[in-house]
Amino acid sequence: MSPPAHWCSMLSEPSAFSRIDGAQPPVRSRGSWIHLKAVSEKKMLEQQVKMRDEKVIVWCIAILLLQGFHVRASAQVTNLPLPSTGFCESFVSPISYNCTEMMVQTHDGFLLAIQRITTSNPLTVRKGPAFLYHGIMEGGETWALNANDDSLAFMMANSGYEVWIGNTRSSNYTFGHLKFTRKEKEFWNWSWDDLVKSDLPSMLQYVNNYSKQPVYYVGYSQGTMTALASLSEGSITALISKAALLSPIGSLKYITSPFASAASYLFVDEILLLSGVAEFSANSDVGKRFLDITCASSQVDCRHELISQITGTNCCFNTSQISVYNKYSMQSTSMRNLAQMAQMVRSGRFSMYDHGFWNNVKKYSSLFPPEYDVSVIPATLPILLAHGGNDALADPNDVAALISKLAGSPQVLYLPKYAHADFVMGTNASQDVYTPILEFFQA
């Protein structure tokens, strides 16, 4: 529900919402403890009014969106590479590696792209299939953007692994949909639950059918969330032999990211959905407008390095590669995918998509969406959790909570100075993270 339009004119009236009952804070004589209490109460009310005003500003902009701005936003088309100039041609040297583009169809009609990479060195001892799965608003390029010696995909291929690169349904190198184009809202009518129940199981089953072996799984950020949720559903348990989870997220209860927190508690996701946005692109007019609004929140300081406001202060971010990262990161995603992340921030639950009370009852037979229960993941599955002390998205408190829920005893790699982006974009990641992963898989 949007606020009345006249709220916008009330921002300059500090008393309009000062108290729920309409009364003003009492004023007492100076020096009394009652006066101190009144001063404290007044400061609290001023802060509440400030937070209220921030939310009203966002809702007022939502009204403008509803008046027609969303029509232009939803019609925007992202420039995407054609399948003929795909991942293999763009990122993999044919001299050093064999690379094959393959397509996996999901039950709901999406045509996912996956790539199979192996070394061309005939003397390399083969070690079986490995599957790498990226984070939100990214694609499989995540694993191949650095130099060969520093990119996990090539390090694993050099070590003898048959490396499979997974891509979500919205990644740059996907093949699209059987029925819908990216211009149509129906293409974007999905949430993270669909990645859990459809995309990841479909890709892993394809790899298993091809290689006849379970995979060594590596996930990053949302790639860890998806694996944990799918494992809790039992759909991929037999398809994974070992799992290494980088910046693992089993809940967002203790998230400390100023940007993600502000966007979630300002209900930017609900505003965008209400205004008819189905595809979210940070580079679109809508994305830029709401970037400005979120940055205007008192919780966020975007005057300096924006990425630190999202991920935490990264210790080892490879700044020499920033133009490359900017080119391939922040890809489009479903608005409902982002909304589900915001829902989990607000609820503190690792749960399915919240459709609202009435629709939840119809879909789940419950007022609230069910949680993914990670405690049912088999204790016999070897898991490595690699996390950082400065990670504002995979907060150490959330990781500790995840560890306490798992039935098994995961191996933990804790890097105190690392934040979220360091695990895939850090200058030392090949030594600090990837080498321990290879050792874990080979143990």
Side-chain angles (χ1 to χ4, degrees):
M1 178 186 298
S2 61
H6 69 272
W7 280 22
C8 303
S9 64
M10 300 175 69
L11 298 178
S12 61
E13 302 175 18
S15 63
F17 292 87
S18 295
R19 288 278 293 268
I20 295 176
D21 59 4
Q24 296 300 309
V27 179
R28 299 288 186 259
S29 59
R30 184 176 299 275
S32 70
W33 69 271
I34 298 177
H35 170 76
L36 295 176
K37 182 172 182 285
V39 171
S40 176
E41 184 179 82
K42 181 178 180 181
K43 289 182 178 179
M44 290 176 63
L45 290 171
E46 288 174 347
Q47 181 63 27
Q48 290 173 0
V49 170
K50 184 177 181 181
M51 293 175 63
R52 186 282 325 281
D53 286 352
E54 290 176 351
K55 292 181 180 180
V56 171
I57 290 171
V58 176
W59 278 109
C60 291
I61 290 176
I63 293 172
L64 297 177
L65 286 170
L66 286 168
Q67 292 175 344
F69 184 72
H70 71 277
V71 175
R72 298 192 299 273
S74 62
Q76 180 166 340
V77 181
T78 306
N79 293 322
L80 294 169
L82 297 173
S84 60
T85 56
F87 180 97
C88 292
E89 184 176 332
S90 300
F91 296 99
V92 183
S93 167
I95 298 176
S96 303
Y97 304 97
N98 306 307
C99 186
T100 307
E101 301 273 357
M102 301 186 186
M103 184 170 66
V104 178
Q105 182 178 326
T106 66
H107 76 276
D108 52 350
F110 282 91
L111 305 175
L112 310 178
I114 59 173
Q115 294 81 30
R116 179 179 180 268
I117 303 173
T118 59
T119 179
S120 58
N121 185 349
L123 301 179
T124 303
V125 178
R126 306 301 176 180
K127 294 175 180 163
F131 186 87
L132 313 185
Y133 203 29
H134 58 80
I136 193 170
M137 299 183 76
E138 295 178 342
E141 310 97 300
T142 297
W143 308 106
L145 291 179
N146 294 322
N148 286 8
D149 293 340
D150 293 324
S151 292
L152 182 59
F154 302 125
M155 288 179 65
M156 296 194 76
N158 292 339
S159 297
Y161 290 95
E162 174 189 325
V163 179
W164 294 80
I165 306 293
N167 295 272
T168 65
R169 55 184 63 193
S170 59
S171 298
N172 282 356
Y173 290 98
T174 187
F175 291 99
H177 191 276
L178 287 173
K179 184 177 179 181
F180 307 115
T181 70
R182 285 177 175 261
K183 299 178 184 180
E184 298 175 279
K185 285 189 174 183
E186 290 83 356
F187 183 93
W188 303 98
N189 187 26
W190 52 269
S191 68
W192 170 62
D193 292 334
D194 294 292
L195 309 184
V196 172
K197 300 177 187 299
S198 183
D199 285 29
L200 184 56
S202 297
M203 289 187 287
L204 290 181
Q205 188 61 62
Y206 183 95
V207 174
N208 185 263
N209 293 343
Y210 187 100
S211 302
K212 310 302 180 185
Q213 299 177 61
V215 304
Y216 296 97
Y217 182 92
V218 182
Y220 165 66
S221 191
Q222 193 176 62
T224 71
M225 297 177 68
T226 308
L228 289 168
S230 292
L231 284 167
S232 73
E233 296 281 280
S235 58
I236 62 171
T237 305
L239 305 177
I240 295 179
S241 59
K242 290 186 177 182
L245 308 181
L246 315 183
S247 292
I249 299 175
S251 68
L252 294 167
K253 183 177 181 178
Y254 298 104
I255 188 172
T256 56
S257 166
F259 189 91
S261 295
S264 297
Y265 286 105
L266 288 171
F267 292 87
V268 176
D269 55 300
E270 292 191 7
I271 293 168
L272 287 171
L273 288 171
L274 183 64
S275 61
V277 176
E279 173 191 3
F280 181 86
S281 170
N283 297 317
S284 70
D285 292 338
V286 167
K288 292 174 181 176
R289 177 74 62 90
F290 277 91
L291 178 68
D292 292 340
I293 294 302
T294 305
C295 286
S297 166
S298 61
Q299 304 175 53
V300 185
D301 181 8
C302 299
R303 293 172 297 177
H304 304 294
E305 187 182 356
L306 176 60
I307 191 171
S308 66
Q309 294 291 305
I310 301 173
T311 67
T313 303
N314 296 285
C315 68
C316 317
F317 190 82
N318 190 349
T319 55
S320 66
Q321 286 282 86
I322 195 163
S323 61
V324 177
Y325 297 146
N326 286 340
K327 183 178 180 180
Y328 294 105
S329 63
M330 301 305 286
Q331 298 176 20
S332 291
T333 191
S334 155
M335 191 58 238
R336 292 179 63 207
N337 185 22
L338 280 182
Q340 192 165 0
M341 301 302 105
Q343 289 174 359
M344 285 191 274
V345 171
R346 293 190 292 263
S347 70
R349 302 169 72 242
F350 191 52
S351 58
M352 299 179 190
Y353 191 86
D354 190 342
H355 298 272
F357 289 157
W358 175 241
N359 289 322
N360 285 342
V361 171
K362 290 194 292 184
K363 185 173 180 64
Y364 307 124
S365 299
S366 171
L367 291 175
F368 301 98
E371 290 193 69
Y372 290 106
D373 184 6
V374 298
S375 68
V376 302
I377 297 174
T380 54
L381 176 65
I383 297 176
L384 168 67
L385 303 178
H387 70 112
N390 289 328
D391 196 330
L393 295 173
D395 185 86
N397 290 313
D398 278 315
V399 176
L402 170 62
I403 293 171
S404 69
K405 293 175 183 177
L406 291 171
S409 299
Q411 182 175 325
V412 178
L413 174 62
Y414 177 63
L415 300 169
K417 296 182 179 180
Y418 268 49
H420 203 73
D422 288 319
F423 286 90
V424 291
M425 300 178 184
T427 54
N428 302 323
S430 59
Q431 297 177 2
D432 296 340
V433 184
Y434 302 158
T435 296
I437 287 176
L438 294 175
E439 294 172 349
F440 169 70
F441 286 157
Q442 294 167 18

